[in-house]
Amino acid sequence: MEKLKKYASVKDEDQFYHQGAAELLVFNFLLILTILTIWLFKNHRFRFLHETGGAMVYGLVMGLIIRYATKTSDVESGTVYECEKLKSGPSTLLINITNQVYEYQYKREISHHNVNGHQGNAMLQKMTFDPSIFFNILLPPIIFHAGYSLKKRHFFRNLGSILTYAFLGTAISCIVIGLIMYGFVKAMVHIGQLKAWEFHFTDCLFFGSLMSATDPVTVLAIFHELHVDTDLYTLLFGESVLNDAVAIVLTYSISIYSPKENPNAFDAAAFFQSVGNFLGIFAGSFAMGSSYAVVTALISFMHLTKFTKLCDFPMLEMGLFFLLSWSAFLSAEAAGLTGIVAVLFCGVTQAHYTYNNLSSDSKMRTKQLFEFMNFLAENVIFCYMGLALFTFQNHIFNPLFIFGAFVAVFIARACNIYPLSFLLNLGRKQKIPWNFQHMMMFSGLRGAIAFALAIQDTESQPKQMMFTTALLIVFFTVWVFGGGTTPMLTWLQIRVGVDPDEDLKAQDASQSTSNSDKNTTKAESAWLFRVWYAFDHRY
């Protein structure tokens, strides 16, 4: 009997590992299909569906197969047992079943109305997205690559505009979406689709903050392929990079906003506490990431000179570079800050200082390594988005909420781009033309960040409704707006085939002819950068 129990235990353990291997195999095949599709699209210059859209299509098909073609598990899996003696959820639980002790580890809390979603199909349970994997493994390489591949001179020439769109624009989008959605929620309560206590104004603002995270990866890839006007590319790329970081910190700040009395009433103390948290976390994360980058640059400088000569061993040099960059993320998370903000500014600072101190082999290898990691992580995320439509078991499709969200997202994007562009043009020597503004409005796609922020918490029914709606908005914007990028560029008569370096030289030449401005960098950059540029150049 003892041998039989041990055999059954080993069999269950083997089955668990086999399911894990099957899950990885699914993603492996999806990535292979995606890479082959990318090759096909590039070979035939097909731009109406980007690789990320293709990855989502493959994910949808695979999710459909897993949902309806895999068998349900035994009834014991997911069954709820009462443990009245336990007063709280332990991190590790040892269970004695007929003198055989099993160890179970805490994963997450499940609300009562979600219990059914965790019973039945074991494969669907395995395919349920773990937000910690996304935020700790998949997202950092994407964000670091965005900072590390930044074209510095183009970025800093438009720094003031980029910061305005990223900070003020994200805040405007969050508030506008929150207000519009609150109106739709009130209408849903009035017609009996929601209970008044289920959805508060802070929930609407939370939805507004996560839907303010733009991710125009599809549009930017097409821009890069077609060599679109450098200023437009820089404005859109810079906004999307900083916007992700702002949206993540903003979402966290709103989630901890808790008025003491009425959740729908304004509480000044709670509001200022959330604002303080936002500023403190953002500033602390920025300092953490930049500090690690400066340390890496100093170490690389010593390696390049007579001190250590580590540059003679590119593999070790690259390993040290990678681990110190990863440490910026982990240190920020360990300190209770935001690792994404830290790793972003670590990447920007590394590109400015550390890159120039690396050996020629390490320069090439680091560029290729982070580009490859970014490519894989991005496609895994978009594959999973397709899977999630069928593998996530607690979707709530509410037509009125979904319609309201689409309306709110488009209105918020317009309230962000057009008024801010008007204000920026009052102070810019090189104006942002109307066709650029229309293209930026059109390019406000939602993607990986909005999806990940929405799936972080899906325990309550309002949060499940938000996740389902966010997923549908991501599908629509990636497929429709991503696919319509090339026709839109033609219709708006935006320049393509532009060489960034030649364009910069042409702008410099036009500026040098002006009697009033002799220094191009000082003339075109934001005043904040002018102060930094003088300090950086001198010291």
Side-chain angles (χ1 to χ4, degrees):
M1 197 67 183
E2 282 295 319
K3 287 182 180 178
L4 193 63
K5 285 176 185 174
K6 286 181 181 178
Y7 173 75
S9 176
V10 170
K11 190 177 177 182
D12 290 342
E13 195 173 334
D14 286 346
Q15 188 178 0
F16 177 79
Y17 285 118
H18 292 160
Q19 283 178 352
E23 181 186 359
L24 290 174
L25 188 63
V26 166
F27 280 106
N28 196 44
F29 277 131
L30 287 174
L31 286 174
I32 290 169
L33 279 171
T34 303
I35 289 169
L36 291 173
T37 306
I38 293 166
W39 169 78
L40 195 67
F41 283 5
K42 287 185 182 296
N43 204 32
H44 292 86
R45 298 184 182 278
F46 184 79
R47 296 193 183 97
F48 290 100
L49 182 65
H50 186 250
E51 60 202 53
T52 51
M56 289 168 73
V57 171
Y58 290 134
L60 274 171
V61 173
M62 188 60 70
L64 190 66
I65 293 168
I66 292 170
R67 180 76 187 225
Y68 296 107
T70 55
K71 63 178 182 179
T72 56
S73 62
D74 58 319
V75 74
E76 289 292 317
S77 178
T79 305
V80 179
Y81 296 98
E82 299 295 332
C83 300
E84 295 177 357
K85 291 183 179 180
L86 291 175
K87 300 299 180 186
S88 61
S91 58
T92 304
L93 194 64
L94 299 176
I95 300 178
N96 188 339
I97 303 173
T98 60
N99 294 326
Q100 188 71 33
V101 178
Y102 298 89
E103 181 183 358
Y104 292 89
Q105 289 189 334
Y106 174 83
K107 190 174 182 182
R108 63 180 176 275
E109 185 181 353
I110 301 168
S111 57
H112 287 289
H113 67 271
N114 285 341
V115 169
N116 292 333
H118 291 79
Q119 296 174 346
N121 195 324
M123 192 65 175
L124 286 179
Q125 291 172 28
K126 290 284 288 179
M127 285 292 180
T128 300
F129 190 76
D130 186 354
S132 64
I133 292 175
F134 177 86
F135 277 99
N136 294 321
I137 297 173
L138 295 176
L139 190 58
I142 296 173
I143 299 296
F144 182 86
H145 176 261
Y148 193 58
S149 61
L150 203 66
K151 290 180 173 63
K152 296 187 293 295
R153 286 197 67 189
H154 297 289
F155 178 80
F156 287 121
R157 286 169 77 101
N158 295 282
L159 183 64
S161 302
I162 289 168
L163 289 175
T164 304
Y165 287 127
F167 283 87
L168 193 55
T170 305
I172 290 170
S173 293
C174 171
I175 293 166
V176 171
I177 293 173
L179 289 171
I180 293 173
M181 291 313 299
Y182 189 61
F184 274 92
V185 164
K186 284 293 184 185
M188 290 164 67
V189 170
H190 183 69
I191 62 177
Q193 290 187 6
L194 270 179
K195 300 287 189 297
W197 51 268
E198 285 184 327
F199 223 108
H200 305 297
F201 181 62
T202 49
D203 294 319
C204 297
L205 278 180
F206 178 84
F207 182 70
S209 65
L210 69 89
M211 289 313 301
S212 298
T214 58
D215 188 18
V217 59
T218 308
V219 175
L220 288 171
I222 294 170
F223 278 14
H224 184 72
E225 253 180 69
L226 296 175
H227 299 290
V228 169
D229 189 289
T230 315
D231 281 331
L232 175 60
Y233 181 88
T234 304
L235 285 170
L236 197 58
F237 180 77
E239 182 213 358
S240 69
V241 168
L242 292 177
N243 162 271
D244 289 345
V246 174
I248 289 169
V249 182
L250 185 62
T251 303
Y252 172 74
S253 300
I254 291 173
S255 68
I256 61 173
Y257 171 77
S258 52
K260 291 180 180 177
E261 296 175 3
N262 183 3
N264 289 317
F266 177 75
D267 187 328
F271 171 76
F272 285 114
Q273 184 183 359
S274 293
V275 171
N277 281 325
F278 173 84
L279 295 174
I281 290 170
F282 201 94
S285 303
F286 168 79
M288 182 79 75
S290 302
S291 301
Y292 265 98
V294 170
V295 169
T296 313
L298 289 170
I299 293 171
S300 299
F301 176 72
M302 289 191 292
H303 292 161
L304 195 65
T305 54
K306 62 182 180 181
F307 291 105
T308 61
K309 282 290 181 183
L310 191 68
C311 60
D312 293 337
F313 306 97
M315 188 66 72
L316 301 179
E317 188 181 26
M318 187 177 71
L320 192 63
F321 179 91
F322 175 82
L323 291 172
L324 282 168
S325 302
W326 189 259
S327 298
F329 172 82
L330 296 174
S331 298
E333 289 292 323
L337 302 170
T338 302
I340 297 304
V341 178
V343 84
L344 168 64
F345 287 105
C346 180
V348 173
T349 315
Q350 300 273 40
H352 190 54
Y353 294 115
T354 315
Y355 181 78
N356 296 315
N357 292 334
L358 296 173
S359 63
S360 55
D361 277 352
S362 294
K363 283 180 181 178
M364 182 183 69
R365 288 182 183 188
T366 53
K367 283 278 186 185
Q368 290 176 342
L369 172 68
F370 289 113
E371 191 174 358
F372 173 70
M373 291 175 70
N374 171 71
F375 169 79
L376 273 188
E378 215 164 59
N379 281 286
V380 166
I381 291 165
F382 279 93
C383 282
Y384 186 78
M385 284 187 202
L387 275 171
L389 191 63
F390 291 104
T391 57
F392 184 72
Q393 299 177 71
N394 294 309
H395 281 301
I396 297 179
F397 294 91
N398 187 298
L400 186 58
F401 190 84
I402 292 167
F403 173 74
F406 272 92
V407 171
V409 164
F410 294 129
I411 292 175
R413 184 67 180 169
C415 292
N416 171 358
I417 297 298
Y418 296 118
L420 291 182
S421 298
F422 172 77
L423 293 173
L424 288 168
N425 280 339
L426 297 176
R428 279 177 66 103
K429 288 183 172 58
Q430 193 170 352
K431 308 298 182 187
I432 303 170
W434 279 106
N435 57 348
F436 280 22
Q437 294 177 40
H438 295 326
M439 194 67 222
M440 289 178 73
M441 167 72 191
F442 182 82
S443 303
L445 283 70
R446 268 58 181 177
I449 305 295
F451 170 79
L453 290 172
I455 205 173
Q456 257 192 316
D457 178 11
T458 55
E459 289 307 311
S460 66
Q461 289 183 345
K463 296 291 173 67
Q464 289 165 8
M465 197 187 302
M466 288 183 202
F467 171 66
T468 303
T469 305
L471 193 59
L472 293 176
I473 290 173
V474 170
F475 284 160
F476 181 83
T477 55
V478 169
W479 285 337
V480 176
F481 290 167
T485 301
T486 307
M488 185 62 73
L489 286 169
T490 307
W491 186 61
L492 292 173
Q493 299 178 342
I494 292 171
R495 289 191 306 160
V496 294
V498 178
D499 186 313
D501 296 324
E502 291 297 322
D503 189 44
L504 196 62
K505 286 177 185 175
Q507 288 182 22
D508 287 350
S510 66
Q511 286 294 329
S512 64
T513 58
S514 171
N515 295 325
S516 58
D517 296 311
K518 293 180 180 179
N519 189 318
T520 306
T521 307
K522 289 184 179 180
E524 283 299 300
S525 300
W527 70 269
L528 183 64
F529 179 66
R530 292 203 298 269
V531 175
W532 169 249
Y533 179 81
F535 174 84
D536 188 45
H537 183 71
R538 186 175 300 171
Y539 298 106

